[in-house]
């Protein structure tokens, strides 16, 4: 099938883009970034936007930069930009490890980090990263600029706090301290498929004990999130098999696992237990 007819707008600046969005949002005007989710949906006529605001020619959105505290990722930064560390330290290494698990290489050369956050698939790896690391989303509109914390941003399956006339211009990830350890694990039946469950963990060691634990789980619930019960099971403990298993069990018990055509809630809960344990076992820097 071919998409329904639409008008494509090609702004050159963010100001121009949000002006057009404000005019066309009411007619289901949408931002077009990498097109790796939107175009297939349009081809199946599951979406019939009358207007597309193509942001690919906006040079200022291709920026990726660190000020030593925060990594800023512009809306045109592709998944493939992260194949090699974009910043020194654990964050660059973490993003490189995660990027390789997103879809397939050609999709990674087009799809964008911010497009994934805007699309908000529950199993999106970048959404998990944003939730686990407490990212800040920077939304622009003709009304101004709005900063949205990750905990307030994800609103359910493919639902976010963005309004229809807002452009997600940038995502900001805090740089973890250099001694931060991290582990990532996801389960899917075929390489390149969306994860059926995924976990991202980070922590530091102080006098041999875990501090600042973060346990993010994605793909299991409507939105990725940090699991406080699993983090509590880690903090203050020496890392090891017993503690990792206790944290994994806490995560499995805490999630309200989704059911779908592939899995039961019980099976998905088992997957959460497995991916959290494996992420912890492989945690390194
Ligand atoms: C076969 C296949 C396998 C895939 N596997 C995975 C996977 O394993 N993991 C994964 O995470 N993703 C996967 N994807 C999706 C892919 O990562 C997409 O690139 C991503 O979901 C959306 O990014 P995009 O830049 O292509 O956005 P687009 O497709 O251009 O847009 C997606 C949606 O977000 C909106 N949007 C995009 N950018 C912005 C913005 N800056 N501001 C406001 N709204 C915006 C659009 O209007 C649209 O509604 C897969 C895709 C395919 C086709």
């Amino acid at each position: 099938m071919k998409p329904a007819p639409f008008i494509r707008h090609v702004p050159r600046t963010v100001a121009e883009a949000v002006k057009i969005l404000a005019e066309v949002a009411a007619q289901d005007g949408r931002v077009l970034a990498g097109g790796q989710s939107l175009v297939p949906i349009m081809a199946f006529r599951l979406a019939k936007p009358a207007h597309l605001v193509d942001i690919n020619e906006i040079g200022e959105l291709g920026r990726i930069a660190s000020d030593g505290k925060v990594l800023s990722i512009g809306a045109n930064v592709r998944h493939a930009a992260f194949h090699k560390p974009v910043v020194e330290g654990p964050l660059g290494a973490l993003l490189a490890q995660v990027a390789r698990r997103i879809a397939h290489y050609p999709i990674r050369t087009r799809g964008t980090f911010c497009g994934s956050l805007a699309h908000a698939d529950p199993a999106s790896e970048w959404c998990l990263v944003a939730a686990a690391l407490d990212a800040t989303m920077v939304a622009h509109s003709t009304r101004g600029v709005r900063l949205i914390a990750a905990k307030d941003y994800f609103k359910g399956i493919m639902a976010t706090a963005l309004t229809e006339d807002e452009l997600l211009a940038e995502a900001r990830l805090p740089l973890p301290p250099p001694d931060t350890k991290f582990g990532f694990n996801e389960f899917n039946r075929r390489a390149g498929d969306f994860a059926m469950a995924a976990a991202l963990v980070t922590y530091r060691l102080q006098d041999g004990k875990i501090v600042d634990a973060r346990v993010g789980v994605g793909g299991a619930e409507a939105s990725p999130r940090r699991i406080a019960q699993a983090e509590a099971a880690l903090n203050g403990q020496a890392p090891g098999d017993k503690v990792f298993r206790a944290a994994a069990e806490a995560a499995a018990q805490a999630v309200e696992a989704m059911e779908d055509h592939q899995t039961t809630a019980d099976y998905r809960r088992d997957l959460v237990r497995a991916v959290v344990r494996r992420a912890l076992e492989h945690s390194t820097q």
Side-chain angles (χ1 to χ4, degrees):
M1 263 165 93
K2 289 186 176 151
F6 59 86
I7 298 168
R8 176 169 164 259
H9 306 263
V10 189
R12 306 283 162 163
T13 64
V14 169
E16 205 187 323
V18 295
K19 188 167 175 285
I20 300 168
L21 253 186
E23 287 161 10
V24 301
Q27 301 157 58
D28 195 18
R30 304 254 193 122
V31 173
L32 175 68
Q36 298 305 297
S37 295
L38 183 56
V39 171
I41 293 169
M42 288 171 62
F44 283 113
R45 299 214 175 188
L46 296 171
K48 297 179 197 168
H51 296 265
L52 290 185
V53 183
D54 183 343
I55 59 171
N56 285 278
E57 298 300 321
I58 305 179
E60 63 193 286
L61 295 180
R63 181 173 166 272
I64 182 160
S66 162
D67 65 0
K69 289 184 182 154
V70 166
L71 180 71
S72 302
I73 303 164
N76 282 338
V77 175
R78 317 277 166 191
H79 306 320
F82 299 92
H83 284 161
K84 289 186 183 153
V86 292
V87 62
E88 277 183 24
L91 184 61
L94 180 162
L95 295 172
Q97 197 182 114
V98 172
R100 287 182 213 115
R101 299 302 301 269
I102 300 173
H104 306 276
Y105 182 78
I107 292 165
R108 295 200 292 269
T109 65
R110 291 300 304 163
T112 62
F113 187 100
C114 289
S116 288
L117 299 187
H119 191 58
D121 189 294
S124 152
E125 286 85 355
W126 291 144
C127 292
L128 170 59
V129 166
L133 301 186
D134 288 323
T136 300
M137 273 47 84
V138 184
H140 286 234
S141 72
T142 50
R143 288 167 281 117
V145 178
R146 202 160 65 98
L147 302 185
I148 313 170
K151 65 178 177 41
D152 304 319
Y153 177 81
F154 295 107
K155 296 287 185 192
I157 298 174
M158 292 171 182
T160 72
L162 289 175
T163 56
E164 56 187 13
D165 64 339
E166 278 181 318
L167 171 72
L168 178 60
E170 179 185 334
R172 295 179 184 160
L173 295 177
L175 261 60
D179 60 347
T180 302
K181 297 179 182 301
F182 70 87
F184 172 74
N185 193 265
E186 73 172 42
F187 182 86
N188 42 23
R189 291 203 172 117
R190 294 177 312 185
D193 280 1
F194 277 97
M196 292 160 71
L200 175 64
V201 300
T202 70
Y203 63 87
R204 293 167 52 237
L205 291 178
Q206 224 166 53
D207 302 325
K209 302 277 173 65
I210 293 173
V211 293
D212 299 339
R214 289 169 181 268
V215 177
V217 169
E221 299 180 313
S223 302
R225 67 177 172 110
R226 290 177 65 180
I227 308 290
Q229 295 89 331
E231 295 174 354
L234 292 170
N235 280 324
Q237 306 294 325
D241 186 58
K242 199 171 158 213
V243 168
F244 290 168
R245 282 178 188 273
E249 184 59 35
Q253 293 308 323
V255 294
E256 289 186 26
M258 290 187 293
E259 279 189 326
D260 59 21
H261 65 284
Q262 293 191 91
T263 63
T264 62
D266 282 347
Y267 179 63
R268 200 166 237 122
R269 197 179 294 284
D270 283 349
L271 291 181
V272 169
R273 188 180 293 109
V275 292
V276 171
R277 182 174 51 76
R278 288 173 190 167
L280 284 163
E281 284 171 356
H282 299 142
S283 54
T284 175
Q285 193 197 316

